Amino acid sequence: MDQKILSLAAEKTTDELQEFLQNLRVDDLANLLHAQAVKGRAAGALLRGIFRGSPCSKQAGALRRHKIYTFCIQLVESGDLQREVASEIIGLLMLEAHKFPGSLLVELATEFIDAIREGNLVNGKSLELLPVILTAVASKKETLTYRKGELSGEECKKQLIITLCSGRWDQQYVIQLTSLFKDVPLTAEEVEIVTEKVLKMFSKLNLQEIPPLVYQLLVLSSKGSRRSVLEGILAFFRELDKQHHEEQSGDELLDLITVPSGELRHVEGTVILHIVFAIKLDRDLGRELLKHLKTGQQGDHSKNLCPFTIALLLSVTRIQRFQEQVFDLLKTSVVKSYKDLQLLQGSKFLQNLVSQKSCVSSMILEVVKNSVHSWDHVTQGLVELGFLLMDSYGPKKILEGRTVEISSGLPVHQACKLGANILLETFKIHEMIRQEILEQVFNRVVTKASSPIVHFLDLLSSIVMYAPIVLQSCSSKITDTFDYLSFLPLPTVQGLLKSVQPLLKVSMSMRDSLILVLRKAMFASQLDARKSAVAGFLLLLKNFKVLGSLSSSQCSQSIGASQVHVDVHSRYNSVANETFCLEIMDSLRRCLGQQADVRIMLYEGFYDVLRRNSQLANSVMQTLLSQLKQLYEPRPDVLPPLKFEACIVTRGDQTCVQEPLAHLLCCIHHCLAYYKSRVMPLRQEEEEDEEGFYQDLDDMLESITNRMIKSELEDFELDKSSDFSQTTDIGIKNNLCTLLVMGVCEILIEYNFSISNFSKNKFEDILSLFMCYKKLSDILKEKASKGKTKTGAKTNDSLLSMKFVSGLLTALFRDSTQSHEEGLSVLRSSSDFMRHTVSVALQKVQQLRDTGHVSGPDGQNPDKIFQNLCDITRVLLWRYTSIPTSVEESGKKEKGKSISLLCLEGLQKIFDAVQLFYQPKIRQFLRALDVIENEEEAEVAVSQRAAFQIRQFQRSLLNLLSSQEEDFNSKEALLLVSVLSSLSKLLEPSSPQFLQMLSWTSKICKENSLEDAAFCKGLMNLLFSLHVLYKSPVSLLRDLSQDIHGQLGDIDEDVEVEKTNHFAMVNLRTAAPTVCLLVLSQAEKVLEEVDWLITKLKGQLSQEIISEEEASSQATPSNQSIEKAAIIQLGTLLTFFHELVQTALPSGSCVDALLKGLCKMYTILTSLVKYYIQVCWSSRGIPKNMEKLVKLSGSHLTPLCYSFISYVQNKKSTSLKSAGEKKKEKTAAVSTAMAKVLRETKPIPNLIFAIEQYEKFLIHLSKRSKVNLMQHMKLSTSRDFKIKGSILDVVLQEEEEEEEENEEGTASEHGGQDEEPAKKKRRKEMK
C-alpha cells in the first residue's frame, strides 16, 4: 500500500492518488504511517504523498489532511520515533500548516492549547508546530469562528494566546512554551500577556531552570514589554535574596526552592550574564533598566535596590555606553542612603513615621561577599566603584598639615569609607584583581600629592596588614613608588612608609631599595626631601629591633611586629639588625648639620627610637651629648650657661634658628628619663664607664639649671629696652632668642620636677625658672600689643610634655600627701604658675582637637594621650567644682582669666576632643572621672555616668543664674552651656536621664530672663538639639513666635499685642535677631523633613502607579499616617509664620530670613498640593485635614504676607528718604543704605512667585478633586506695579536738578562714577 501511494505521488497529476486515498480509511492510513515511522523507513515521503493527495480545496481532502495532521502530532508526541524521523515529520507538518483553511487551523490550535492546559503532552516535541499554526491563523484574511464569535485572523490569534496564558502550564514545558512565542508575530498587548504569564511561572520552577527561562524572556522582550520583563526578573530575585537572607522556611517559594547559597549565587551570576548580553544587543533594554531604577530612587530605595540589582548594574558597567550613567546612579544612591539615615537619626519625628531600611552600603558589601561565586563580571565594576567613591568623596581640606578626619558622620565621608571597604574586601576575596588595586592605590599616592590622600594610605595599610607575604609579589611596584619619595609631601611620605613598614621586615630587597632612596634624599636640595629621609630612617630604627631591646609589649607602640603574620626574625636576625641600625644612626648624625626643621624632626624621633630599640641607647645618647657640648659653657661661672647666639644665624637678609636648642634639651631630658627608669635597672652588670656620659648629662643639666636661675635678662642681652620689632634683623634675632630661652626654661622646669622627689629646694628652682620664663613672655606680649604684629600675638606651642602637665596638675590640685606638702606649697603660692600650668593643658587639648595628636613624646600614641587626658580631666573637674569662679574672683582681681574659668574651658575642649577621637572609649573615659572606682559599678550605662557629670555643671549654671546681674559671668555661662551640649550627646534619647535634661533645659529657658544674646543663643540651641530627639519642635516654635511677637510688637502700630511670656529667655534684647534667626533656622529644618516625607510619598505613589497590581483606590496605612503627620507639621508651622509675619521685625537679617522661610513654606505647600493632584489620579480624594490646611493658609498666612511685604517696602522708602537727606553730606552713605535696601527686598519677588505657584496648583487640585479649595483664597491687590506718572515726574525733575549741580560743581570724576549706580538703582526702585 505504501509503495502504491509513493508511486502515485510521483506522477504529475494527483487525480489517481486522490481517488486511491479516497477509497482508504483514515485509520488504515494512520496505521500504515505509524508502522513506517516506527521502522524509520520512508515515513516522510509517505506523509508527503498523503498530503499531496489530500488537497484542502476539497472537503474530504481537508478532513483527511486534518486527521492525519492530528495523528502525526500524537505520533511525534508519543516518543516512539527516532529523533531524525520525528524532526522530518515536524518539518513537513510546518510546511503544510499554511495550506489549511482557517476553521481547521483554529481547531488545530484549540486542540494544541487544550493539550497544554490539560497536561497531555508527553515530550513536548510537537510544540514546535504551535508558533507556525498561530502565525497561520493570524495571516488568514477571512472571518474565523472561535468560541461562538466571529473574529478576524489577528483577533483570533489574540484570543488563542489569552486562552493559552490563562491556563495551567506544566513545569517542564514552561521554557519551551516561552521560546515558541519568539517565532509568533505579537502585538504589544500580547507580549504583555505572555510576559505576565511567564513571570508568574518563575516561583513554580526549580532554581536551575530560571536562567534559560530568563534568556527566553529577554529574547521575547525585543518585541516589547522590556520594562515588565526587567521589573519581574528583578522583583523575583529581590524576594529570593530577601528570603535567603532571612533564612525563613514555610514560604511557598522556599518550599520549592531550597538551595545552598552557592547554587543561588551561581544562578544569579548566570542570569546577570544573560541580561548584560541582551543589553549589549538591545540598548533600549539598558535604558529601561536605568529608567526603572532611577524612578525607584525617589521612593524607598530598598524596594528597588538589592544585592542582585547592584551586581547587575556593576556588570552593566562593562558596556561603555552605560558605564557613566550606572556609576552616577550608584554614587547618588549611596550618598542618598547615608543622607536619609542621617536625617532619620537626627529626628524623632521621622523615626516614628519611617522605619530604618537596610542601607545601600550593606547591599554593596554583600555583593562583594557574593562575588566569590565566580562573579568575575562584577569584580571590575566593584573596583571601579570603590575608587570612584574614594576619589569623589575623599577629604578635601588640610588643617595644619593634617587632613580632616574621615570618621566624622557626614554622608560623603561615610561614602568614602565605603569605597575603601569595597576595595579591601574585594582584595581579600579575588586574587586576580589584587595587582590592579595596588597599582591604582600607588598611582594615586604618587600623582595626587597636592590633595589629601590619607584615605588611600589607610587602605594601603589595611591591605598590607591583611597579607604582607602576598604583597611581596608586588614588590616592584612598591620599589618604583619609593623613587618618588623625594618629591612627595612629608605627611604622604610618613603615611606611605608607615603603611608598608611590615613589608620591609619580610623583604630585604625592598628594604635595601628604600635605604638607597633615603640616602639620596638626605642630600637633596629640597628641604621636604631631607625631612622625608629623616622620617624614613627613624621609622626603620623604630621597627628593626636589636637583640636585648625591650619587648613590644613593654613599649606599647601602635605599629609593631604584631602586624606581620610571620616570624620577622626568621631570616634577618637581631645581630644583622644591630649593624643595620648603627649604619642608619651614622646617616642620621649627618643631619645634625642641616636646617632647624630637619634637626627638630630628629630630636622628636629619637625618644621613640630609644623606646622601641633600647639597645641603641648608647649611640643615641652619645650623639645628643656631643651635640649639646657644642653649645654648653663648661666653666661654672659663665652666664648664661648655653651659647644662645650660636643657635641663631643670618643668611643674607634672613635670620633664622640654626640649632633648636630647646628641642635638643627636650630630647635629652626624655631619653635620659626613659633610660634611667626602664633601661638601667636591666643593665646592672654593665661597665661603669659605659654609663659615664649619662652622669655627664645629668651634671650638665644640673649646672644649666643653677646658672639659668642666676642669669638676669641682661645676661641674655634681652630686656624691656631691647628691640623686638619684626622689621629689623636685631628685632627678629631678639624674638628668636627669647623663644629659645623660654623653651629652655620650660624643659628645665620639667626636668627638675621629674628628679625633685617633691623637694622644697627643687620646687624653688622651678619657680625661679618660671619667673624667668614669665618675664620674657610678658615682654613679648607687651611688645606684640604695641607693635600689633600677627606673629607676636600667636602663642607658641609649649614644649612641656602632656604626661608632665597631667602629673603637675595632679600634684598642684589633688596631692594631699603629708610629705609632699612643704614642697608643693612653694608652687601653690604662685597663682601665675598654677594658671600657666592650666593654660598649657588647654593648649595641649586644643592641639589634640585640631590635629588628632599632641607635640612632644608619646604625642602620636593614642592610648598614652587618652590616659593623660583622663588624668587632666579628673583634676580640672575637681578644681572647677571645688572652687567656683565666683569664689575665686571675689578673693582677688587679677589680669586674665581665673583658674576656674580656664579649667572650665579645658573641660569643654576635652569633652569635644574625646567625642571626636575616642568615641569607642567614652565609657572608659567617664568611668575614669569617678572619684571612687567601684568594681560593681563597672557596667553602669554611659547615660547614667554622663548624667552624673551633667548634674554638676547644671548646679554650677544654676548658681551662676541665681547671682546678681552685675556678677553674671557671660563667658562662664556660655562655656557651661557648651559643656552641657557636649555631655548631652552621650545620653540615650530613650533614657530617663535624657528627659530630665530636656525638662531642665526647658525650665531654665522659661524661668530666666537674661539680656545676654550669646548665652541665649547657646541655651536655645541646646534646647532645640534635645527637643528634636524627643519629638518635633513645631509646638515649641509656635510658642517662641508668640513671645517674639509680644516683645517686638505688631507691624500695625495701632494694634497692641498681648505678651504671652512662654519663655522668659525671650526679651526685648534677645528676641531679634538672636531668637528670631534661631527659630527660623529650626523651622527650615522642619520644612526640609516635611519635604523629604513628601518626596518619599511621591516616590511610593509613582511605584504603585507603575505596578498596577499594587495600585489600589485606598492609601496604605503607613502612607496615611505620613500624610497626616506632614499636614499637621505644616499646619503648626503655618501658625508659627502667622505670628512672625505680623511682628515688627527690625530691618536686616531677620526680615531676610523670614522672607526666605515663607518662600520655602509656600514651596513645600505647593509640593504637597502636587502630590495630592497625583493622588487624585488614582481615584482617591483629598483628606479633610488637607482642606483645613488650605483654608488656614488662605485666611492666616497669604493676606498677612502681603501686609508684611508692604511693611518692608514702607521701611525701605523711609530709609531711602533718610539717606537722601544726608546725601549732600556723604554720597558713600547713600550707596550703602541703598545696597542694604536692595539686599533686603530681593527675596520679595521670590515669595510672590511662590505664593502664585501655590495658588495655581490649588486651582488644578480643585478641578481634579471636585472640591473648591480656592474659596478661602483672596487675590491681593497690593502688588500694583503701575507706573504712577505724578511720582515719576517729581523724581525725574529731582534728578535733572542733581545733574545740573554735578556739572557745575567741582566733583571728581571718581565721585561721579560712584554716584551714578545709586541714581540708576533709585530710579528703578521708585518705578
Side-chain angles (χ1 to χ4, degrees):
M1 193 194 294
D2 57 331
Q3 292 302 321
K4 178 77 173 169
I5 293 169
L6 289 171
S7 63
L8 289 172
E11 292 180 6
K12 287 184 180 178
T13 59
T14 60
D15 296 343
E16 288 184 37
L17 179 61
Q18 287 180 34
E19 192 180 336
F20 180 73
L21 290 174
Q22 188 70 36
N23 297 324
L24 290 175
R25 287 190 311 148
V26 175
D27 290 347
D28 294 340
L29 276 174
N31 292 332
L32 178 65
L33 195 59
H34 182 268
Q36 293 291 338
V38 170
K39 289 175 186 175
R41 290 185 186 163
L46 181 62
L47 185 58
R48 208 177 285 115
I50 293 170
F51 281 142
R52 191 162 184 239
S54 309
C56 293
S57 53
K58 295 179 181 178
Q59 189 180 3
L63 288 170
R64 189 186 313 117
R65 176 184 282 264
H66 176 247
K67 286 178 179 177
I68 292 297
Y69 204 98
T70 308
F71 173 74
C72 285
I73 291 172
Q74 291 166 357
L75 185 63
V76 169
E77 198 60 43
S78 67
D80 296 340
L81 307 184
Q82 295 173 13
R83 186 181 296 174
E84 293 80 6
V85 176
S87 297
E88 187 182 4
I89 292 172
I90 289 289
L92 276 170
L93 294 179
M94 281 181 178
L95 291 170
E96 296 297 328
H98 286 275
K99 296 175 184 175
F100 275 97
S103 57
L104 288 178
L105 276 172
V106 171
E107 204 173 317
L108 275 172
T110 308
E111 286 170 10
F112 244 124
I113 290 167
D114 288 344
I116 293 166
R117 287 161 63 101
E118 290 163 16
N120 294 336
L121 297 177
V122 179
N123 62 9
K125 181 72 177 169
S126 62
L127 283 175
E128 293 175 32
L129 289 170
L130 186 57
V132 180
I133 294 169
L134 288 173
T135 307
V137 169
S139 64
K140 295 297 173 186
K141 305 295 181 190
E142 72 267 23
T143 304
L144 303 173
T145 304
Y146 178 70
R147 289 190 176 178
K148 300 177 184 177
E150 299 292 320
L151 303 168
S152 67
E154 276 292 337
E155 287 171 346
C156 189
K157 178 198 68 174
K158 181 182 173 183
Q159 288 304 317
L160 286 166
I161 289 171
I162 290 171
T163 308
L164 174 60
C165 292
S166 60
R168 178 182 164 276
W169 288 7
D170 199 310
Q171 186 179 328
Q172 61 181 321
Y173 301 125
V174 173
I175 296 167
Q176 205 172 344
L177 282 165
T178 309
S179 71
L180 66 84
F181 283 106
K182 70 174 180 284
D183 299 322
V184 182
L186 299 172
T187 62
E189 190 181 347
E190 289 162 358
V191 175
E192 191 65 44
I193 292 165
V194 174
T195 303
E196 195 178 321
K197 172 64 179 176
V198 176
L199 288 171
K200 281 180 182 174
M201 295 304 297
F202 268 45
S203 58
K204 297 182 172 66
L205 297 181
N206 294 325
L207 198 59
Q208 293 299 338
E209 293 176 302
I210 298 292
L213 181 57
V214 166
Y215 175 78
Q216 296 300 337
L217 202 51
L218 289 167
V219 172
L220 186 63
S221 73
S222 61
K223 295 175 181 284
S225 295
R226 292 177 179 84
R227 192 183 187 98
S228 301
V229 168
L230 286 170
E231 280 179 13
I233 294 168
L234 296 179
F236 173 74
F237 280 103
R238 183 167 56 247
E239 195 60 32
L240 206 56
D241 265 347
K242 184 181 170 187
Q243 290 176 357
H244 194 81
H245 186 68
E246 291 170 357
E247 294 181 350
Q248 288 177 345
S249 57
D251 190 278
E252 181 194 353
L253 194 62
L254 281 179
D255 284 345
L256 290 166
I257 306 175
T258 309
V259 287
S261 178
E263 190 180 341
L264 174 60
R265 301 308 166 207
H266 282 298
V267 166
E268 286 181 341
T270 311
V271 168
I272 288 170
L273 282 174
H274 285 326
I275 297 174
V276 173
F277 181 68
I279 290 172
K280 280 181 183 174
L281 298 174
D282 181 7
R283 67 182 67 165
D284 289 339
L285 195 65
R287 290 197 195 102
E288 280 297 337
L289 175 66
L290 289 173
K291 192 176 169 185
H292 166 63
L293 293 173
K294 280 176 183 173
T295 308
Q297 251 191 338
Q298 296 172 1
D300 186 358
H301 62 75
S302 64
K303 285 189 178 176
N304 268 281
L305 287 179
C306 66
F308 175 79
T309 318
I310 291 168
L312 172 60
L313 283 172
L314 289 168
S315 296
V316 172
T317 58
R318 297 165 77 191
I319 304 169
Q320 190 68 36
R321 179 184 296 276
F322 298 110
Q323 189 178 46
E324 194 176 333
Q325 295 175 59
V326 169
F327 281 133
D328 281 347
L329 174 66
L330 286 170
K331 261 172 60 179
T332 313
S333 299
V334 166
V335 175
K336 184 179 181 294
S337 170
Y338 281 128
K339 281 181 178 173
D340 290 354
L341 202 61
Q342 188 185 36
L343 201 64
L344 274 171
Q345 287 171 348
S347 168
K348 185 69 176 174
F349 164 68
L350 291 180
Q351 286 170 23
N352 291 338
L353 289 171
V354 183
S355 58
Q356 291 190 18
K357 302 284 183 182
S358 58
C359 191
V360 175
S361 58
S362 59
M363 294 179 193
I364 295 174
L365 290 172
E366 197 172 326
V367 171
V368 180
K369 191 175 72 177
N370 295 345
S371 68
V372 74
H373 301 286
S374 307
W375 286 11
D376 297 337
H377 44 92
V378 174
T379 48
Q380 189 60 46
L382 280 170
V383 171
E384 287 178 35
L385 177 64
F387 279 113
L388 185 68
L389 290 172
M390 290 187 79
D391 289 335
S392 305
Y393 303 119
K396 306 290 181 207
K397 187 176 155 192
I398 296 184
L399 192 67
E400 293 180 9
R402 179 186 167 82
T403 310
V404 173
E405 284 295 302
I406 293 179
S407 58
S408 61
L410 290 175
V412 288
H413 290 157
Q414 288 175 315
C416 176
K417 211 166 185 181
L418 172 65
N421 283 340
I422 291 169
L423 291 169
L424 179 60
E425 294 305 314
T426 309
F427 183 90
K428 289 178 180 178
I429 292 171
H430 298 283
E431 286 183 30
M432 299 297 289
I433 211 84
R434 286 175 180 174
Q435 187 82 24
E436 187 187 339
I437 292 175
L438 275 174
E439 203 161 304
Q440 291 211 44
V441 170
F442 282 121
N443 286 346
R444 281 163 172 77
V445 168
V446 173
T447 57
K448 296 197 171 190
S450 56
S451 56
I453 53 163
V454 67
H455 49 311
F456 287 113
L457 292 173
D458 288 344
L459 172 62
L460 180 62
S461 183
S462 302
I463 287 172
V464 173
M465 285 171 70
Y466 170 71
I469 305 298
V470 172
L471 264 68
Q472 281 191 82
S473 59
C474 310
S475 58
S476 59
K477 184 65 192 172
I478 299 170
T479 50
D480 288 349
T481 310
F482 287 160
D483 293 337
Y484 296 99
L485 286 184
S486 303
F487 310 104
L488 297 177
L490 182 61
T492 302
V493 174
Q494 287 175 315
L496 177 62
L497 293 178
K498 199 173 178 183
S499 300
V500 301
Q501 169 260 319
L503 293 178
L504 302 175
K505 296 187 172 184
V506 291
S507 171
M508 185 170 253
S509 60
M510 208 181 291
R511 191 184 76 177
D512 293 343
S513 301
L514 176 61
I515 288 170
L516 279 174
V517 170
L518 293 178
R519 279 180 178 158
K520 284 180 192 172
M522 188 76 82
F523 301 101
S525 55
Q526 301 91 351
L527 177 63
D528 261 8
R530 297 200 296 278
K531 287 166 81 171
S532 297
V534 171
F537 279 136
L538 286 170
L539 188 86
L540 290 171
L541 282 180
K542 286 179 212 171
N543 289 291
F544 283 85
K545 300 197 66 177
V546 178
L547 191 66
S549 293
L550 297 173
S551 66
S552 298
S553 59
Q554 289 172 288
C555 310
S556 68
Q557 171 69 2
S558 58
I559 288 215
S562 59
Q563 289 179 345
V564 186
H565 304 309
V566 293
D567 181 3
V568 297
H569 297 306
S570 59
R571 192 166 165 195
Y572 315 118
N573 59 37
S574 298
V575 177
N577 280 348
E578 184 168 15
T579 311
F580 168 67
C581 290
L582 291 174
E583 279 179 23
I584 293 177
M585 281 298 298
D586 285 341
S587 298
L588 287 175
R589 283 194 190 97
R590 294 172 196 165
C591 297
L592 294 172
Q594 295 193 12
Q595 285 99 326
D597 284 354
V598 179
R599 299 187 197 192
I600 287 173
M601 275 197 74
L602 200 54
Y603 296 150
E604 287 179 346
F606 269 153
Y607 173 74
D608 274 341
V609 169
L610 189 64
R611 203 165 53 81
R612 294 276 301 135
N613 234 338
S614 54
Q615 282 296 313
L616 295 175
N618 286 352
S619 182
V620 170
M621 299 306 281
Q622 187 70 56
T623 305
L624 294 172
L625 179 61
S626 62
Q627 193 69 6
L628 181 60
K629 279 182 177 174
Q630 295 173 27
L631 304 162
Y632 176 68
E633 293 283 4
R635 288 177 297 164
D637 55 341
V638 176
L639 298 177
L642 297 164
K643 301 170 187 173
F644 286 101
E645 289 192 1
C647 298
I648 298 165
V649 294
T650 303
R651 292 193 187 93
D653 58 348
Q654 195 176 9
T655 304
C656 59
V657 174
Q658 176 70 17
E659 177 61 68
L661 183 56
H663 288 85
L664 172 61
L665 282 175
C666 181
C667 180
I668 289 170
H669 157 58
H670 289 296
C671 289
L672 195 58
Y674 181 80
Y675 183 79
K676 284 183 195 171
S677 62
R678 305 297 296 278
V679 183
M680 277 178 69
L682 305 174
R683 289 191 173 187
Q684 293 168 357
E685 297 173 10
E686 291 268 341
E687 296 176 12
E688 286 186 13
D689 59 328
E690 280 262 326
E691 295 177 8
F693 42 82
Y694 298 108
Q695 191 57 51
D696 289 349
L697 281 170
D698 260 335
D699 293 343
M700 285 166 82
L701 288 172
E702 188 67 35
S703 173
I704 292 169
T705 301
N706 293 332
R707 285 189 277 166
M708 282 292 286
I709 292 166
K710 291 175 187 172
S711 301
E712 298 292 333
L713 292 184
E714 289 75 12
D715 295 325
F716 303 111
E717 297 181 11
L718 301 169
D719 55 31
K720 288 189 178 181
S721 60
S722 301
D723 177 13
F724 283 92
S725 71
Q726 294 289 330
T727 52
T728 62
D729 287 345
I730 298 293
I732 292 169
K733 188 176 180 182
N734 285 341
N735 265 299
L736 293 174
C737 191
T738 306
L739 294 173
L740 277 178
V741 176
M742 286 167 68
V744 169
C745 287
E746 279 194 312
I747 299 306
L748 292 174
I749 287 171
E750 183 167 345
Y751 168 73
N752 281 284
F753 186 84
S754 67
I755 62 166
S756 66
N757 200 17
F758 294 90
S759 143
K760 185 180 179 183
N761 294 336
K762 281 291 176 194
F763 283 176
E764 284 169 353
D765 290 349
I766 287 171
L767 210 51
S768 304
L769 287 165
F770 172 71
M771 292 317 294
C772 174
Y773 174 91
K774 190 173 184 309
K775 282 176 195 170
L776 291 169
S777 175
D778 289 345
I779 290 172
L780 278 185
K781 282 178 188 171
E782 187 184 328
K783 299 291 181 182
S785 60
K786 284 180 183 175
K788 293 182 181 176
T789 55
K790 289 181 182 177
T791 48
K794 185 186 172 187
T795 55
N796 287 281
D797 286 344
S798 170
L799 291 173
L800 298 174
S801 68
M802 197 171 183
K803 185 181 179 183
F804 164 70
V805 172
S806 72
L808 182 58
L809 280 174
T810 309
L812 287 174
F813 296 125
R814 299 304 309 274
D815 195 333
S816 55
T817 311
Q818 195 65 41
S819 56
H820 300 169
E821 196 66 38
E822 186 184 3
L824 286 171
S825 61
V826 175
L827 298 180
R828 288 170 180 166
S829 65
S830 169
S831 59
D832 284 337
F833 181 75
M834 302 219 304
R835 186 183 290 107
H836 174 72
T837 309
V838 178
S839 299
V840 173
L842 250 72
Q843 192 189 95
K844 293 287 178 190
V845 175
Q846 183 66 44
Q847 199 178 40
L848 173 66
R849 201 171 70 166
D850 291 344
T851 65
H853 55 80
V854 294
S855 57
D858 293 325
Q860 303 278 352
N861 187 329
D863 295 333
K864 293 278 180 74
I865 294 173
F866 179 72
Q867 193 52 55
N868 293 328
L869 208 56
C870 291
D871 295 340
I872 290 171
T873 313
R874 203 161 40 234
V875 176
L876 296 185
L877 191 59
W878 179 87
R879 176 63 174 74
Y880 177 72
T881 49
S882 302
I883 308 173
T885 317
S886 52
V887 175
E888 188 178 346
E889 288 182 344
S890 61
K892 49 185 175 180
K893 293 281 180 183
E894 291 176 357
K895 282 185 182 179
K897 296 176 185 174
S898 67
I899 293 174
S900 285
L901 198 58
L902 284 172
C903 289
L904 183 59
E905 195 177 327
L907 289 167
Q908 183 248 329
K909 291 178 193 297
I910 287 169
F911 291 138
D912 280 353
V914 169
Q915 288 186 53
L916 195 59
F917 296 105
Y918 295 100
Q919 194 69 37
K921 292 188 171 184
I922 293 282
R923 182 189 291 273
Q924 195 180 331
F925 173 74
L926 291 173
R927 191 180 170 199
L929 301 188
D930 287 351
V931 183
I932 302 166
E933 286 288 336
N934 189 342
E935 287 182 15
E936 291 176 9
E937 293 181 3
E939 295 304 314
V940 173
V942 169
S943 289
Q944 287 176 283
R945 290 187 185 280
F948 174 74
Q949 301 301 338
I950 284 170
R951 283 195 290 276
Q952 297 192 67
F953 293 107
Q954 284 176 338
R955 279 195 292 273
S956 300
L957 185 57
L958 285 172
N959 291 338
L960 198 61
L961 292 170
S962 61
S963 62
Q964 295 296 321
E965 198 162 328
E966 59 272 12
D967 294 336
F968 180 74
N969 188 331
S970 177
K971 284 181 182 175
E972 186 179 2
L974 205 57
L975 283 169
L976 280 167
V977 170
S978 186
V979 167
L980 287 168
S981 297
S982 271
L983 288 171
S984 66
K985 290 174 189 171
L986 305 178
L987 298 174
E988 182 62 40
S990 57
S991 66
Q993 291 85 2
F994 183 87
L995 287 177
Q996 286 166 4
M997 178 71 189
L998 175 60
S999 58
W1000 181 87
T1001 310
S1002 180
K1003 188 181 176 187
I1004 293 290
C1005 291
K1006 286 177 179 177
E1007 295 176 2
N1008 291 278
S1009 177
L1010 285 166
E1011 296 187 349
D1012 188 309
F1015 173 68
C1016 174
K1017 185 179 178 181
L1019 200 60
M1020 282 291 177
N1021 267 325
L1022 173 60
L1023 178 62
F1024 278 117
S1025 68
L1026 294 168
H1027 207 283
V1028 291
L1029 295 173
Y1030 174 61
K1031 66 176 182 179
S1032 177
V1034 282
S1035 54
L1036 195 64
L1037 290 171
R1038 185 185 55 210
D1039 292 349
L1040 284 164
S1041 65
Q1042 288 171 0
D1043 288 350
I1044 294 168
H1045 191 187
Q1047 290 293 338
L1048 298 178
D1050 201 90
I1051 53 175
D1052 185 349
E1053 293 174 5
D1054 300 334
V1055 175
E1056 189 175 336
V1057 185
E1058 182 187 345
K1059 292 191 177 182
T1060 49
N1061 204 22
H1062 292 110
F1063 290 89
M1065 195 55 76
V1066 181
N1067 51 49
L1068 203 56
R1069 182 78 181 273
T1070 60
T1074 308
V1075 179
C1076 181
L1077 288 176
L1078 231 165
V1079 292
L1080 283 167
S1081 78
Q1082 286 298 325
E1084 190 177 354
K1085 286 178 186 173
V1086 175
L1087 283 171
E1088 280 172 10
E1089 289 176 5
V1090 174
D1091 190 26
W1092 184 81
L1093 283 176
I1094 295 170
T1095 308
K1096 194 174 183 65
L1097 285 170
K1098 282 182 181 174
Q1100 287 175 356
L1101 194 67
S1102 63
Q1103 282 174 356
E1104 284 175 13
I1105 290 168
I1106 289 162
S1107 54
E1108 292 176 9
E1109 292 173 16
E1110 292 176 26
S1112 60
S1113 59
Q1114 293 297 315
T1116 57
S1118 63
N1119 278 12
Q1120 284 182 337
S1121 62
I1122 291 173
E1123 286 174 22
K1124 186 180 176 183
I1127 290 167
I1128 291 170
Q1129 290 291 91
L1130 288 173
T1132 318
L1133 275 181
L1134 209 142
T1135 57
F1136 159 78
F1137 280 116
H1138 166 75
E1139 291 290 339
L1140 283 187
V1141 91
Q1142 296 178 80
T1143 307
L1145 294 171
S1147 296
S1149 54
C1150 289
V1151 170
D1152 192 34
L1154 178 56
L1155 288 170
K1156 285 178 181 172
L1158 286 165
C1159 190
K1160 178 107 176 169
M1161 177 75 184
Y1162 277 105
T1163 307
I1164 305 298
L1165 282 169
T1166 308
S1167 187
L1168 187 64
V1169 169
K1170 285 179 182 176
Y1171 166 70
Y1172 277 112
I1173 291 173
Q1174 270 184 289
V1175 166
C1176 289
W1177 278 104
S1178 61
S1179 67
R1180 182 159 63 87
I1182 56 172
K1184 289 290 181 189
N1185 51 6
M1186 178 63 188
E1187 290 180 41
K1188 287 178 186 173
L1189 179 68
V1190 173
K1191 182 180 177 181
L1192 198 64
S1193 69
S1195 60
H1196 278 62
L1197 193 58
T1198 307
L1200 294 174
C1201 281
Y1202 287 122
S1203 304
F1204 187 70
I1205 289 169
S1206 303
Y1207 164 74
V1208 173
Q1209 287 175 330
N1210 289 338
K1211 290 196 82 171
K1212 171 194 74 173
S1213 54
T1214 310
S1215 61
L1216 277 175
K1217 193 174 178 184
S1218 62
E1221 289 169 3
K1222 299 174 184 175
K1223 184 167 185 177
K1224 291 175 185 176
E1225 298 170 21
K1226 283 187 179 180
T1227 309
V1230 183
S1231 302
T1232 309
M1234 292 195 71
K1236 185 180 176 186
V1237 166
L1238 278 171
R1239 190 173 62 250
E1240 286 175 12
T1241 54
K1242 200 174 179 181
I1244 291 175
N1246 295 338
L1247 173 58
I1248 291 169
F1249 176 73
I1251 294 171
E1252 288 178 344
Q1253 285 293 100
Y1254 172 55
E1255 290 172 354
K1256 172 187 164 183
F1257 283 101
L1258 266 181
I1259 293 167
H1260 286 313
L1261 183 59
S1262 297
K1263 289 176 183 174
R1264 183 78 59 204
S1265 64
K1266 308 289 189 292
V1267 178
N1268 183 12
L1269 297 169
M1270 292 303 292
Q1271 63 182 331
H1272 311 296
M1273 296 288 163
K1274 293 177 184 175
L1275 293 175
S1276 175
T1277 54
S1278 69
R1279 298 179 287 104
D1280 186 359
F1281 293 116
K1282 286 189 294 184
I1283 297 172
K1284 297 180 180 175
S1286 56
I1287 295 174
L1288 186 64
D1289 291 339
V1290 173
V1291 174
L1292 289 171
Q1293 193 176 347
E1294 281 178 10
E1295 287 187 350
E1296 281 171 15
E1297 287 172 8
E1298 285 165 11
E1299 282 172 13
E1300 286 170 15
E1301 284 173 20
N1302 288 343
E1303 285 169 12
E1304 291 167 11
T1306 56
S1308 66
E1309 190 181 343
H1310 183 68
Q1313 286 171 351
D1314 277 352
E1315 195 177 332
E1316 189 59 29
K1319 286 195 288 182
K1320 283 181 184 172
K1321 285 176 184 173
R1322 242 185 101 192
R1323 191 184 299 129
K1324 191 174 176 183
E1325 288 298 317
M1326 291 303 288
K1327 285 178 188 176

